[in-house]
Amino acid sequence: MEEKKSNQQMLAAEEEAFSSAARIKYYDIVIDKGRGAIITDVEGHDYIDLLASASSTNTGHAHPKVVKAIADQAARLIQYTPAYFANSQAARLAPRLAALAPISGPVEVAWGNSGSDANDAIIKFARAATGRQYIVSFTGAYHGSTYGSMTISSVTLNMSRKMGPLLPGVVKVPFPSPWDKLAGESDDQFVDRMYKAFLQPFETYLPAEEVAAIVIEPIQGDGGIIKVPQAYMERIYAFAKQNGILFAIDEVNQGMGRTGKWWSIQHFPGIEPDLMSVGKSLASGMPLSAVVGRKGIMEALGPAANVYTTAGNPVTAAAANATLDVIEEEHLVERSAKLGQKAKDFFDQEQAKYDFVGDARLYGLNGGISIVDPATGKGDVEATTKLMYRIFELGAIIISLRGNILRFQPPLVITEEQLDKAFAIIDQAFAELAAGKLSLPSNAEELGWE
C-alpha cells in the first residue's frame, strides 16, 4: 500500500518537476477529492470552495450525473478524433449549445480544448469572415494563454514579458473600470470620457474599415468581476454595427449560469453578439470549449482551419451534455440569481460594518469584493492577502484578483447551510482584520497574480 503523504511532501516532490510558470501560487495544499461545494486535501482537511475551480465547476465537484455520464461514455469510447469523424455525444451537444446561444438566426459551433483556443478561434473566424486584420480588446482582460488569446489579454505583465513578439494586429483600449472614475464625475460623464478613449485609436491610426472584431468580457472576470456600464456597451456595440465590425464576447468565466443568467451578455438588453467563446464549466471542468457564432461567420473557414485532435471527444461531450441537463433540471441559473441576492445582501452588510470594504459587485453567485485602505480609498493588497489567508485557515477557499479584490465564485450547487457557514467565516476574518489581529503569511510576496 502506498504511503500517505502530506501536502508539503507532495508539493516538494512536485516542485522538482513542475514549472513555476504553470501555477499562480496561493495555498500549500494538494487537492485530493471534492463533492458539491466541498474540496478535501490529501491530509483530509475539508474546505468550502468559494472559487469553483476558477468558475469551471458551476455544477459542483463530482456531480453524480456528470460522473455517471463520464464513466458510462468511457466504457463505450474514450476517444476518436472529431477532426475526422463525428461522435454521438458531440453530435447531440452541438445543436443544444447552438440553441442556447444568445444569437438570433442560424448558429454553429466549433470545438476546442480550453477557453484560450476558443478565443483564438474568434480571431480566426472574425478575420476570415471580414477580410480584415485588426482585433480590438480591452485592458484588464483575461482571454487565455495561447498566443492569440494571450495577445488580446492584459491582466498581468507576465503574460507578455519575455515572450514577444505577440500576435500582430491587436489594439487594446481602456476598459471602463470603476476605479478610473474621477472624483465628482457622474456616470454619464464617465461613460463619455471612456468612450472618447475608445474612439481615439479609430480617429488617429486605426481605420475602422480594417477592424475585424471587438472582443470584450461583458463582465470582466480576472480583471475584478466588473460589469461594463450599459451605456458604454451600447455605444461600442453601435459603433461596431455602423462600421461592419463583428462584436465578440468572452463567456468562458461568466457563462453557464454563473451570473444568474445563462450568459453574462444577457444582462445587456438589446446587445447580441456575432461570436462568443465558451469553456470552463461547459463540461463541468473537463477540457472542452467552443466558439459559437452566426452561421455565415462560422462557414468563412474551410476544413482543418480549426480542428484539434481531442476537442469535442466523446467523454468531454458526454460531460457537457450531462452538465446542461444538471443546470436545467436543478434550475442552477435561477439558483445563482436567488443565492446571488443573498450573497449581495451579506456583502452589503459587511460593507456597512467595515470601512475597508470599498465595493462589493455581485452578479449572481459571482462577485468581486474590493478591499481598500480606509484613509485613502486605494486598494489594500496587504489587507486582502491577510483576509484571504485567514479565510483559508478558517476552512474556505477564496483568492484575490488585482491584488486587492476577493474573488467570490462558489459552485452553483452550494447549499444555503454551506453558504451561511462561508459567510460566518468571512465575517470572522473581517472582524479580526478590523481588530488588528491578522498578520501576513511568511510567503505573502509569492501569493496571487502579479
Side-chain angles (χ1 to χ4, degrees):
M1 186 175 179
E2 185 178 353
E3 179 186 358
K4 190 173 183 180
K5 295 183 178 178
S6 69
N7 287 315
Q8 290 298 339
Q9 286 173 320
M10 294 196 74
L11 287 169
E14 183 197 50
E15 187 177 11
E16 296 299 314
F18 191 72
S19 170
S20 60
R23 180 174 298 145
I24 302 165
K25 186 175 178 63
Y26 280 101
Y27 312 117
D28 289 337
I29 57 172
V30 178
I31 296 170
D32 186 51
K33 60 184 178 179
R35 187 75 169 191
I38 303 297
I39 56 174
T40 306
D41 69 16
V42 293
E43 296 178 5
H45 302 123
D46 289 339
Y47 301 91
I48 301 172
D49 185 6
L50 302 181
L51 177 59
S53 183
S55 194
S56 66
T57 53
N58 288 359
T59 60
H61 303 288
H63 191 288
K65 187 155 192 168
V66 178
V67 170
K68 185 176 188 304
I70 291 170
D72 287 352
Q73 182 56 50
R76 292 170 59 86
L77 178 68
I78 292 177
Q79 160 68 1
Y80 204 96
T81 178
Y84 295 123
F85 303 106
N87 66 73
S88 55
Q89 289 288 352
R92 176 173 169 245
L93 178 62
R96 294 185 75 185
L97 185 57
L100 284 170
I103 304 171
S104 59
V107 173
E108 292 185 351
V109 308
W111 305 124
N113 295 298
S114 73
S116 297
D117 60 49
N119 284 316
D120 276 11
I122 281 179
I123 297 170
K124 292 192 280 187
F125 282 107
R127 285 177 167 175
T130 62
R132 304 174 178 187
Q133 66 158 314
Y134 289 107
I135 304 293
V136 173
S137 64
F138 290 79
T139 56
Y142 178 76
H143 295 293
S145 289
T146 52
Y147 254 85
S149 61
M150 183 171 65
T151 303
I152 61 175
S153 300
S154 60
V155 73
T156 169
L157 285 171
N158 277 349
M159 292 184 69
S160 56
R161 183 177 279 129
K162 303 178 184 178
M163 289 180 286
L166 299 179
L167 189 72
V170 172
V171 175
K172 295 185 178 73
V173 293
F175 185 83
S177 166
W179 305 290
D180 292 330
K181 195 173 181 181
L182 302 176
E185 190 173 40
S186 70
D187 291 343
D188 288 343
Q189 289 171 332
F190 175 62
V191 168
D192 285 345
R193 182 167 60 84
M194 296 309 296
Y195 184 62
K196 184 177 180 181
F198 167 82
L199 289 178
Q200 187 175 31
F202 294 98
E203 295 171 342
T204 55
Y205 67 90
L206 180 63
E209 68 274 13
E210 294 182 25
V211 175
I214 295 169
V215 183
I216 192 168
E217 297 167 274
I219 298 174
Q220 267 196 357
D222 291 287
I225 319 293
I226 316 162
K227 183 176 180 285
V228 176
Q230 176 74 29
Y232 181 87
M233 185 72 98
E234 290 172 356
R235 288 197 191 182
I236 64 170
Y237 181 72
F239 180 87
K241 297 295 113 180
Q242 291 163 7
N243 289 280
I245 300 170
L246 300 182
F247 196 77
I249 60 168
D250 182 333
E251 292 279 356
V252 176
N253 187 309
Q254 298 288 299
M256 303 298 294
R258 171 53 60 189
T259 69
K261 296 182 183 291
W262 264 105
W263 312 109
S264 64
I265 194 64
Q266 292 171 325
H267 290 273
F268 299 85
I271 307 295
E272 186 175 304
D274 299 300
L275 288 163
M276 74 174 189
S277 55
V278 188
K280 288 188 183 287
S281 279
L282 174 58
S284 291
M286 291 287 281
L288 178 67
S289 68
V291 57
V292 184
R294 300 188 189 280
K295 182 181 179 71
I297 299 169
M298 299 300 292
E299 291 294 326
L301 289 169
N306 196 63
V307 297
Y308 308 90
T309 302
T310 59
N313 76 66
V315 175
T316 61
N321 276 313
T323 296
L324 296 184
D325 291 342
V326 169
I327 292 174
E328 292 167 353
E329 292 167 4
E330 299 186 14
H331 307 288
L332 294 188
V333 177
E334 297 82 357
R335 197 164 193 280
S336 177
K338 176 187 173 184
L339 294 186
Q341 184 59 52
K342 179 173 181 171
K344 185 179 188 308
D345 292 344
F346 166 74
F347 284 113
D348 285 348
Q349 292 167 11
E350 297 297 281
Q351 186 177 10
K353 284 168 62 176
Y354 302 109
D355 56 6
F356 53 78
V357 180
D359 186 24
R361 301 169 301 284
L362 274 295
Y363 318 99
L365 274 175
N366 176 62
I369 296 84
S370 296
I371 306 301
V372 301
D373 180 342
T376 65
K378 302 295 184 183
D380 191 334
V381 174
E382 185 173 297
T384 307
T385 302
K386 290 177 180 178
L387 283 170
M388 71 174 189
Y389 205 82
R390 182 57 177 151
I391 290 168
F392 163 69
E393 290 178 331
L394 293 170
I397 296 292
I398 199 166
I399 68 168
S400 62
L401 298 169
R402 298 179 70 115
N404 76 297
I405 298 169
L406 294 174
R407 177 179 184 167
F408 178 79
Q409 292 183 309
L412 306 185
V413 298
I414 191 170
T415 67
E416 292 203 49
E417 181 182 0
Q418 290 166 341
L419 198 57
D420 287 338
K421 186 175 180 181
F423 291 157
I425 287 172
I426 292 169
D427 182 66
Q428 180 179 337
F430 282 5
E432 290 176 358
L433 178 69
K437 295 180 179 179
L438 299 187
S439 57
L440 286 169
S442 59
N443 62 340
E445 70 284 350
E446 299 175 357
L447 306 182
W449 291 74
E450 176 199 22

